[in-house]
Structure formats: C-alpha cells, structure tokens
Amino acid sequence: MAEKNRTALRISLIAIMTAVVAVFTLVVRIPSPIGGYISLCDAAVSFVAYAFGPVSGLIAGGLGAAFADLIGGYPQWAVISFIVHGLEAFLMGLIVKKGSSSIPMRILAAFIAVVIVSGGYLLLTTFFGLTVFSEAVLEVPANIAQSAVGAVIGLLLYSGVRKAYRPLDSLRW
Amino acid sequence: MNVSSYIYGRSFYHRFDVRPKLFATLLFSALSFLVSSYAGFAVVFFLPILLMFLSVGSKESWRCYSRLIPLFIIILLFTPLQDRGGVPLVTFRSFTLVTEEGLHSVLRIISRLGGISGALMLLLLTERNEDIIKGLRAFRLPYNAALSASMILRFIPYLGQLFSEIRDSMSLRLEEGRHGYPILPSITALAVASIRMIPDTASALEERGFGREGKIGREPIKRPRFYFLQWAIGAIIPLSLLIVG
C-alpha cells in the first residue's frame, strides 16, 4: 500500500515537473539584448535537479524539454533535447546534494550543465544528421549563455522555493 | 495555450488508424538515413509535404515548413564550403565553391531534416494527443508512462494559463510607466504553486483507483475498416525509400 502511494506521488511529481519545464521553455521568455529571446528551459531543468534529485531531474528535465520541442513545432529535436537536458539534470542532481552543497559544488554543477548542453547539442545534431558541424558550431555561444544563465536562475529559484515551501525536501527521491 | 497541433479533417491520412500511422512515421524516419540517391532525397523531402498538403491544406503545410527555412538557408550556405573535396561544379577563379560531393551532402541533410520534421508534424497534425497515447499503449508503452504523458498534456496548458495570471498580477507591482514583469518572483510563484499541487494530485490518483487492475484508461482501440490494408500501406510507403534509395 505504502509503495503504491509512493508511486502515485512519483507519477504526480514527474508529470507536474515535466509540465513546469515545458511551460518555462515555451512561455517564459526573456528578451535578449542582441535580439530574439532566451528561454528558461535550463533554469527549470536545473531547478528540478536541485530540488528533486538526479532521477526526477533526468525524467522531468528530459521529457519537459522534449515535450516543449514537440509542442513548439520542432519535433525533430525532441530526442536530442531529451538526451541532453535529461543528462544535464541527472549530473547536476548527482553533484548537488540535498540542500547542503557547498558553493564550489554548485559552481561545478553549473559548469557541467554548460558543457553538457553546448557539447551535447553540437555532437548530437551532427551525429543524427540534422545539421552540419559548421552550422552546429554557430549555436554553441548561445547554448553556453543560455545554460550558464539557466543554472544560476535555477539555483536562485530553488533557494526562493525552499523558503516559501518547507516540505520541498520531503518530495525528493 | 494550446498543446495540441491536431487539425480536424476527413482526409485519407486522418482516417488512417493511429497504430499503422505511428509505425509508418518511425519507419520512414529510420529509413531516411539509408537513402543516398538524388531521387531518394526528393522522395524523403517531398512525400511528407505532399501528404501534409492533401491532409491539412497549403496554409498549415506552409506554417510547419516555414520554420525550417532559416535552417535550410544556413545549411545551403555552409555545407558546400565545408565539403570542397571532389569534382568541382562551381568555381570562382581558382576557388572551388561547390563540388558534387558538397551538393550531395547539402541535399542529404536538407531532405532528412525536412522529411523527418514533416513526417512527425504530419502525425501530430492528423492525430489527437490522446489517440497517440492510446496508440503507444498498443505498442506496449507501460501504463504508468501513458498515465504520466496524459497528465503532462493536461498540466501544460493549465500551468501556462496560471503563469499568465501570475505575470499580469506581478506587472501591477511595477512602478507606473514601467513595462514588463519581475521575472524571478513570477517564476518562483509558478514553481511554488506547481509543487503544492503534487500531493493533491497524488491523492486524487489514489481516489480514482490508481493501482487497481482495470480501473482507469484501459479501453482498447477499436479496429477500423481495412485495418490490415492500412498496415500494409503504412509499411509499403516507407519501404519504397529502399527501392529509390
């Protein structure tokens, strides 16, 4: 019975956090000084990893980014987004321990996020044959900026939410 | 916020059952990687466009493909310059601009990108999300995964609407004459509201009989007329790529 209750809680957590990542990617957009918009996908992915750990981060972060691609009209990138953002959240969740991580560990987690996102898109879009290497390289600076800003915003968001909702840590698994 | 791309219609592809349609989409996407002839590139690129045009019309087809045009332009500009070995086709003085290999590479990437995007968009335009989930269940997608997928598709528009309300109320707190909204307080409010829903949603699932065998969402999809013919068509169309490829 207790296991069933736990499964219902996990399914609810994954579904809602996946929807949060998709909404942050699709709806919340910050105007960029060089034109266009920066999405908060990486902020949401980092937040899920910090708040709920590596497994929830892997599933909700990866699925949320993939759903955003499917809904946003870029279905060809859904698989790549799932792998890149899922791995990003998984590694960040592993590095940053439940509420007690030191600043160097948080910086390391942010650095890992930047490397995974920029390197992951560069390699996987070329590997899956969806673009050429030279075109994929053009996207690297934007991906570095977005994932670095996202990791910082994700951390600020986690601190803010933790203050506002104390039982947050009890939902981590 | 609308999470469904579905467009109502009674076209040939709309009437196709979701199971052979899912199979055809995946097979077409996989086989597009095996194509290496110019005729094959043309089929990979134009077949989804033709089916999309016949299913949802020119306006929707243009809306889907217009998003890809900037990418096509970048690929057209960069790929030939990167791949300059081989038989020259266009030269400027002693500088080779386009080679046969470069042209082949450009067309391969553009056809694959356009073909896979078109096939996936065609599926999303002609099937409701809940029918796609039922189709995936028929392919043995675990029940918990299907339940999560349907919950996600319900929560995305709800949270999108909630964020709009939070953003509007937060914008009222700005000084007069300033536009926009405070981003961090707005996203924090959305995250807190979302997390508060988790225990309530879990309780609602248990009250609806989560975990009890055969309680929710287990109804099978009815077989339509010409079901096996649809499977045959769903296999033959992608497999034709092997003949032209």
Side-chain angles (χ1 to χ4, degrees):
Chain A
M1 188 68 181
E3 186 51 37
K4 195 184 84 183
N5 293 350
R6 202 71 195 156
T7 310
L9 192 69
R10 283 173 185 172
I11 287 178
S12 307
L13 190 153
I14 293 295
I16 292 172
M17 283 302 113
T18 302
V20 166
V21 174
V23 168
F24 270 51
T25 310
L26 289 166
V27 181
V28 188
R29 289 181 171 187
I30 305 170
S32 149
I34 54 163
Y37 287 89
I38 294 172
S39 92
L40 287 184
C41 174
D42 293 293
V45 168
S46 309
F47 166 71
V48 176
Y50 292 139
F52 302 109
V55 179
S56 306
L58 169 73
I59 305 170
L63 275 181
F67 267 95
D69 280 341
L70 285 172
I71 294 164
Y74 300 95
Q76 66 278 18
W77 270 278
V79 174
I80 296 172
S81 294
F82 176 79
I83 297 169
V84 170
H85 292 292
L87 186 63
E88 176 194 10
F90 182 75
L91 293 178
M92 288 182 92
L94 278 183
I95 294 166
V96 179
K97 294 267 165 38
K98 192 176 175 178
S100 60
S101 282
S102 59
I103 289 172
M105 292 307 274
R106 288 174 183 182
I107 292 171
L108 176 67
F111 177 74
I112 292 289
V114 171
V115 172
I116 294 289
V117 173
S118 53
Y121 274 107
L122 175 70
L123 294 175
L124 288 177
T125 50
T126 314
F127 175 76
F128 280 105
L130 292 176
T131 187
V132 284
F133 189 78
S134 50
E135 193 232 316
V137 167
L138 296 176
E139 301 282 330
V140 169
N143 284 335
I144 289 174
Q146 186 165 305
S147 50
V149 171
V152 174
I153 293 178
L155 191 59
L156 293 172
L157 186 59
Y158 171 59
S159 307
V161 171
R162 215 161 159 242
K163 279 180 196 158
Y165 187 70
R166 289 284 171 195
L168 178 68
D169 288 337
S170 67
L171 295 170
R172 190 181 165 116
W173 55 284
Chain B
M1 185 181 179
N2 187 9
V3 296
S4 177
S5 312
Y6 176 73
I7 292 168
Y8 175 78
R10 297 193 54 77
S11 69
F12 151 79
Y13 209 68
H14 275 91
R15 277 181 273 185
F16 230 68
D17 186 80
V18 66
R19 289 160 287 186
K21 206 186 278 186
L22 273 167
F23 173 73
T25 305
L26 294 175
L27 189 62
F28 181 87
S29 303
L31 292 180
S32 67
F33 285 86
L34 301 179
V35 169
S36 59
S37 71
Y38 288 115
F41 296 155
V43 174
V44 167
F45 189 81
F46 288 109
L47 187 63
I49 295 179
L50 178 69
L51 285 173
M52 200 183 283
F53 178 75
L54 294 173
S55 305
V56 294
S58 55
K59 200 176 160 188
E60 277 303 320
S61 306
W62 169 249
R63 196 177 64 83
C64 290
Y65 276 90
S66 59
R67 293 175 187 145
L68 297 173
I69 290 174
L71 285 170
F72 292 156
I73 292 170
I74 291 170
I75 293 168
L76 271 171
L77 289 175
F78 281 90
T79 311
L81 292 173
Q82 195 194 17
D83 198 348
R84 288 193 295 123
V87 183
L89 284 179
V90 180
T91 53
F92 182 71
R93 296 189 181 166
S94 60
F95 188 79
T96 304
L97 284 171
V98 183
T99 62
E100 229 175 85
E101 284 72 8
L103 182 67
H104 189 271
S105 188
V106 166
L107 294 177
R108 179 171 48 84
I109 292 165
I110 287 180
S111 70
R112 198 182 293 161
L113 179 63
I116 294 174
S117 306
L120 288 168
M121 280 312 297
L122 187 60
L123 174 73
L124 297 171
L125 287 168
T126 57
E127 281 295 341
R128 291 182 177 87
N129 287 331
E130 54 268 35
D131 290 332
I132 294 174
I133 291 167
K134 279 183 186 173
L136 291 170
R137 282 279 291 143
F139 287 114
R140 305 277 176 230
L141 180 75
Y143 174 69
N144 286 353
L147 177 66
S148 303
S150 62
M151 284 170 68
I152 292 162
L153 291 169
R154 280 172 177 78
F155 272 114
I156 292 173
Y158 174 71
L159 294 180
Q161 178 63 32
L162 183 63
F163 178 71
S164 301
E165 289 167 11
I166 291 169
R167 187 185 56 195
D168 292 345
S169 57
M170 287 285 183
S171 67
L172 296 172
R173 300 173 70 181
L174 293 175
E175 289 168 30
E176 208 168 314
R178 286 188 66 190
H179 297 287
Y181 63 97
I183 289 167
L184 198 60
S186 305
I187 59 174
T188 307
L190 178 68
V192 171
S194 307
I195 291 164
R196 281 183 191 278
M197 287 176 205
I198 294 170
D200 294 341
T201 309
S203 302
L205 274 181
E206 283 159 19
E207 279 171 24
R208 286 189 63 200
F210 175 77
R212 271 183 246 158
E213 200 59 35
K215 184 67 183 175
I216 40 176
R218 299 253 179 188
E219 73 277 19
I221 314 172
K222 285 179 189 161
R223 284 190 178 182
R225 285 172 70 192
F226 309 117
Y227 181 61
F228 291 106
L229 181 66
Q230 290 189 9
W231 269 100
I233 295 170
I236 289 166
I237 292 176
L239 286 171
S240 65
L241 291 180
L242 292 178
I243 299 165
V244 292

